[in-house]
Amino acid sequence: MAEPRPTIRRRRLAATLVRLREAAGKSPEEAADRIGCHRSKISRIENARLGMSLGELRDLLMFYEVEDPRFVEDLLSLARRGGERGWTRNLGATLPSYADHIDYEQTADYIRSYQPLLIAGLFQTPDYARTLYRANPEMLSSKRVDVFVDTRMHRQEVLERDEPPRICVIEGEAALRSQVGGKEVMGPQLDHLLDLAERPSIEIQVLPLGTGAHVGLIGAFVMFGFPTPAFSDVVCIEHVTGTLHMETPEETRSYTLAFDTLRSAALGPAASLDLIRQVRREL
């Protein structure tokens, strides 16, 4: 029987433990000696293939000189819930929360996104995001909308890291031309796209409306890749009542092929920026 794939919580804990150990200048062998286990156990823990007891975790955190009690408790909570899988989350009645999606987004080093109808979430301006949320009939209060917009803006802090993830986004031309909030909203949004495209870690391509039949007609999706080889890619698909995550090799291979096919069909980066500028002028 195949070994179960690690959950997002176990992945987060594993990645954090590697970072803390390296920051403390400790070797895997020293960590193993500290908790009285074989070197291979530390390897499996740091590859998110094996859990650990709360006592072992506390001992390692002391060894790594982690003293912030809130941070320690956060890691203990991750360990307690390490085996839980939550592919779909709900916020309120039916709106999806993006807890797992955000976790993947924050730990990925390569993000590929195909968005035929909307500007990618990491690239949205506050006004664009607010207009989208207000269009949802279940957003009953401005306060609730503000919470969602603030969360989305907080997600974008990943772009400001010293070493941000590599991001490749394919936008459908329809997403550029859709009058979300009118020219007062779309003008600054298109300007923001052009500014982001100047960053070396970001590549934006546009799939023209005249492309015809193509694999992207299946709808939007996002793919996350991770720096640790033991972690499989993850595909994310949002729907009305939740968010679906897929990470079996068969599923991710299919979406990798779909994305590569769309990149070939889309305009190159330079021509894509020319089209964005053209759409901006036509507003």
Side-chain angles (χ1 to χ4, degrees):
M1 182 180 296
E3 185 178 21
R5 297 274 174 184
T7 65
I8 180 60
R9 294 177 184 85
R10 186 167 287 172
R11 286 183 179 188
R12 289 184 65 198
L13 179 60
T16 302
L17 287 174
V18 172
R19 177 172 57 82
L20 292 174
R21 177 177 58 73
E22 292 177 345
K26 307 297 184 182
S27 68
E29 289 76 15
E30 290 174 315
D33 288 342
R34 174 71 179 202
I35 62 174
C37 71
H38 192 272
R39 165 68 174 78
S40 62
K41 178 173 179 177
I42 296 297
S43 177
R44 297 193 70 205
I45 289 172
E46 293 185 348
N47 284 329
R49 297 296 180 183
L50 183 68
M52 61 193 308
S53 72
L54 298 184
E56 289 173 328
L57 177 55
R58 287 184 185 275
D59 201 11
L60 280 182
L61 294 178
M62 289 179 61
F63 188 48
Y64 299 156
E65 299 181 354
V66 179
E67 299 177 350
D68 184 340
R70 182 171 181 178
F71 185 41
V72 170
E73 184 53 41
D74 286 344
L75 294 181
L76 290 171
S77 178
L78 277 181
R80 292 187 191 100
R81 304 175 62 197
E84 294 181 11
R85 284 196 177 274
W87 302 116
T88 304
R89 298 286 176 190
N90 292 308
L91 183 63
T94 58
L95 290 174
S97 99
Y98 301 101
D100 285 346
H101 183 99
I102 293 171
D103 284 342
Y104 286 124
E105 203 169 60
Q106 297 299 305
T107 55
D109 69 343
Y110 184 28
I111 300 174
R112 289 163 286 180
S113 179
Y114 169 61
Q115 301 296 328
L117 300 176
L118 297 174
I119 302 300
L122 285 176
F123 295 170
Q124 292 176 9
T125 64
D127 286 341
Y128 184 94
R130 184 171 288 105
T131 302
L132 290 180
Y133 284 126
R134 284 176 175 168
N136 190 317
E138 293 200 359
M139 283 291 181
L140 302 178
S141 70
S142 58
K143 182 177 180 180
R144 194 175 184 191
V145 170
D146 288 343
V147 169
F148 275 82
V149 173
D150 288 347
T151 300
R152 176 145 294 185
M153 296 305 105
H154 185 66
R155 284 171 50 191
Q156 295 179 8
E157 292 177 5
V158 71
L159 303 179
E160 307 304 325
R161 291 177 180 169
D162 291 337
E163 296 184 7
R166 176 188 173 198
I167 301 178
C168 297
V169 172
I170 301 172
E171 292 282 354
E173 185 179 345
L176 308 179
R177 296 190 179 279
S178 180
Q179 291 298 300
V180 175
K183 64 180 181 180
E184 293 80 8
V185 171
M186 286 305 300
Q189 176 62 77
L190 294 176
D191 290 339
H192 186 53
L193 278 185
L194 292 170
D195 289 341
L196 288 172
E198 297 296 324
R199 302 189 183 194
S201 61
I202 293 176
E203 182 177 273
I204 299 174
Q205 291 183 252
V206 177
L207 191 68
L209 287 170
T211 301
H214 57 81
V215 67
L217 296 175
I218 60 175
F221 60 91
V222 180
M223 297 185 66
F224 299 107
F226 303 92
T228 303
F231 297 167
S232 64
D233 288 351
V234 176
V235 177
C236 168
I237 299 176
E238 296 179 13
H239 51 88
V240 174
T241 59
T243 305
L244 173 68
H245 295 94
M246 299 175 286
E247 53 182 326
T248 67
E250 295 76 17
E251 292 167 330
T252 58
R253 274 197 299 267
S254 295
Y255 277 90
T256 296
L257 177 60
F259 190 84
D260 290 345
T261 302
L262 289 167
R263 288 188 76 178
S264 297
L267 298 175
S272 295
L273 297 186
D274 287 341
L275 180 54
I276 295 173
R277 294 187 187 100
Q278 177 186 328
V279 175
R280 176 68 173 96
R281 290 193 297 268
E282 292 173 358
L283 284 177

